Structures are given as C-alpha cells and as structure tokens.
Amino acid sequence: MTVAGRTALVTGGSRGIGRAIVESLARGGARVAFVYNSNSAAAEAVAAALQAEGHEVWAIQADVRSKPAADKVVADVVEKWGRLDILVNNAGIIRDGLLAMMDAQQWQDVIDTNLTSVFNFCQAVTRQMMSQRYGRIINMSSVAADVSNPGQANYAASKGGVEGFTRCIATELARRGVTANAVAPGFIETDMTVAVVNAAGDEIKKKIPVRRLGRPEDIAGAVMFFAADESSYVTGQVLKVDGGLTLGGL
Ligand code: NAP
C-alpha cells in the first residue's frame, strides 16, 4: 500500500494510536505533520525520533476543538509542503459518567473534541483536496458507536456522529477523488484505556476472540489501507478493528 511522496496531517499524534499512525505514515515515505494539545515533550520526542530516521515530521500545537486553529494548521501545512493528501482525525478523549450524574461540561468536552474537531479539520482540507482531485480522509470512531456501554453516552454520541458524518461527506467528495472512511477500534492499549484494563485484568481478554488487547499498530495498519493510493474505490466505510470483540460469538 503506497503513501510514499504524499503529505499527511494527523490529529492527536503525540501518543497512543495517533503516534503509531504518524510512525507508519512517515516510515511509508509520507511527509507527516501532527497536532497535539498539551504534552509538548511527548510530541517533540515523537518528531525527533522519526527525524533521526531521516523522515520529514512536524509537530504542531493546536486545540482541535477550535475552528480557527484547524484552519491555521491546514493553511500552514499547505504553505510548507504545497499540498495535503491525507487527513487522519484521531484526537479524542473520554469523560465517562452515568447520565444522571453527567454534567454539561462532560458532554460538551467530548462532543467538541471527538466530533466537532472532525468537522473543523474536514472542512479545512476540503477545498485543497477537491482542487488537487486527490484526498484521503480517515476519521477515528470506536466500537462504542455500536456497542452500548453504561457511562459512555457522550462518547457513543460523538463516535456515532463521526460515522454518520463520514458517510455523508464521502458522497459529497467522491467525484473529486477524495475518499472518507472511518476506523472503529475495540480495546487498544493506550493511556485512554489503562485504568479500565488495570481494573478488569485478564477478564477483558476473555471477551475478545483473538484473546489479546489491541495494539496501536493494529489500528495504524487499518488507517494505512484507507490512506493509500490503492484504496481509491473504497469510501464511506467503517472498519472495526477489535479482535472480534463485537461479533457476539462468546
Ligand atoms: P490517547 O492515548 O489518550 O491520546 C490522545 C491524543 O489526542 C493525544 O495525542 C492528545 O494530545 C490528543 N488530544 C486530546 N485532546 C486534544 C485537543 N483538544 N486538541 C489536540 N489534541 C488533542 O488516546 P488513544 O487511546 O490513542 O485514542 C486515539 C483515538 O482512538 C481517539 O479518538 C479515541 O476515541 C479512539 N479510540 C481509542 C480506543 C482505545 O481503546 N484506546 C478505542 C476506540 C477508539 P496531548 O497529549 O498533547 O493532550
């Protein structure tokens, strides 16, 4: 699958799944800019390690919840590299709580970070990608869009929104050579899931047919498929990458 010579932008690239996506794109030969929010030490470490391998990688601080910030990041990348071929909307958070106890801020933080950010960056890249007649948009969903977990009404709503949004823009952009797809991870070992995994221990693995938690690289592999030149006839799809967690066979 080819991304060599392409230019990519990844949100939330400093840790976890986003970091693995940045590494895969860079090692595949793409120039990669990535956005982080607060942890500049982690972001600079990711960029420096890949630069030391000879890859072109650029860490940019921005808050994905802000439309002006998204517009500026995209404009800066296009100014620096002349085009933008691949957008991965990966940044996301959880703020779990049962509905009866969920405050409005918990709701809004998750919707803004996980869903409004996807609107912000997709709209920011649309003109550039349409005029290039080439683009690959990959949005990060979750199996939580389909599988109901108590305490995740805000998160499920944000990820369900991401999937509907992705299908809709896929129909709008297809004629201009721009695809839009989503990846829906299951349980992946990152900072986001460490508390749940520590609390549940090995019990969690018994619910997963492949009998292990996912690794960030498992998700990066799926993103690389949608990001590649060769996937031009695949659009509006959601690919679950969950080790069979949602098959319901156990
Ligand atoms: P993570 O380890 O917590 O990393 C989150 C990343 O997003 C960090 O780079 C963080 O940057 C960035 N970020 C958060 N808020 C931001 C903001 N307002 N502006 C800019 N960047 C922001 O998360 P992860 O587990 O890798 O998850 C990545 C994506 O996969 C998320 O969309 C998540 O919903 C989805 N997902 C994860 C799992 C899982 O099991 N881990 C399962 C399903 C779906 P800073 O560190 O600088 O704040």
Side-chain angles (χ1 to χ4, degrees):
M1 305 305 285
T2 313
V3 297
R6 296 291 177 189
T7 298
L9 173 61
V10 181
T11 67
S14 55
R15 295 187 281 122
I17 292 168
R19 176 184 182 152
I21 294 167
V22 169
E23 290 170 347
S24 293
L25 288 166
R27 289 175 182 148
R31 289 175 291 195
V32 187
F34 71 88
V35 171
Y36 67 97
N37 187 31
S38 52
N39 193 340
S40 55
E44 292 306 334
V46 171
L50 288 165
Q51 286 158 0
E53 292 176 22
H55 307 300
E56 217 171 329
V57 176
W58 182 21
I60 305 172
Q61 193 286 323
D63 187 336
V64 295
R65 295 171 292 185
S66 159
K67 181 80 175 84
D71 289 342
K72 181 169 183 343
V73 168
V74 169
D76 287 350
V77 171
V78 172
E79 189 185 334
K80 186 178 171 82
W81 287 330
R83 54 187 290 134
L84 181 47
D85 301 299
I86 300 162
L87 168 67
V88 185
N89 281 304
N90 164 78
I93 58 167
I94 47 172
R95 296 284 183 271
D96 292 356
L98 296 172
L99 180 60
M101 265 94 78
M102 186 178 289
D103 62 40
Q105 199 60 50
Q106 259 174 297
W107 169 265
Q108 205 59 52
D109 283 348
V110 169
I111 296 297
D112 289 349
T113 308
N114 298 5
L115 178 58
T116 305
S117 67
V118 175
F119 164 77
N120 290 343
F121 277 85
C122 286
Q123 198 184 51
V125 303
T126 293
R127 273 182 197 201
Q128 178 65 31
M129 287 187 175
M130 288 200 315
S131 69
Q132 292 169 181
R133 297 198 166 263
Y134 186 94
R136 299 280 184 270
I137 295 172
I138 302 103
N139 296 327
M140 201 56 67
S141 182
S142 166
V143 294
D146 280 345
V147 180
S148 305
N149 296 316
Q152 291 208 306
N154 50 1
Y155 188 71
S158 73
K159 296 302 189 181
V162 166
E163 293 188 8
F165 177 88
T166 302
R167 280 188 288 268
C168 190
I169 66 166
T171 66
E172 294 183 20
L173 301 174
R175 274 172 299 167
R176 302 296 188 100
V178 181
T179 66
N181 294 286
V183 174
F187 252 112
I188 312 302
E189 279 186 285
T190 69
D191 296 343
M192 184 179 276
T193 51
V194 73
V196 182
V197 171
N198 286 346
D202 277 349
E203 281 309 300
I204 216 162
K205 292 184 194 156
K206 291 185 187 155
K207 296 191 171 131
I208 304 171
V210 303
R211 290 290 189 274
R212 68 168 175 85
L213 300 175
R215 304 177 189 111
E217 298 74 36
D218 294 319
I219 306 307
V223 169
M224 288 295 280
F225 168 72
F226 287 130
D229 291 2
E230 290 87 345
S231 68
S232 60
Y233 207 59
V234 183
T235 197
Q237 302 304 304
V238 179
L239 178 60
K240 286 192 176 78
V241 184
D242 67 353
L245 175 69
T246 52
L247 292 174
L250 299 176

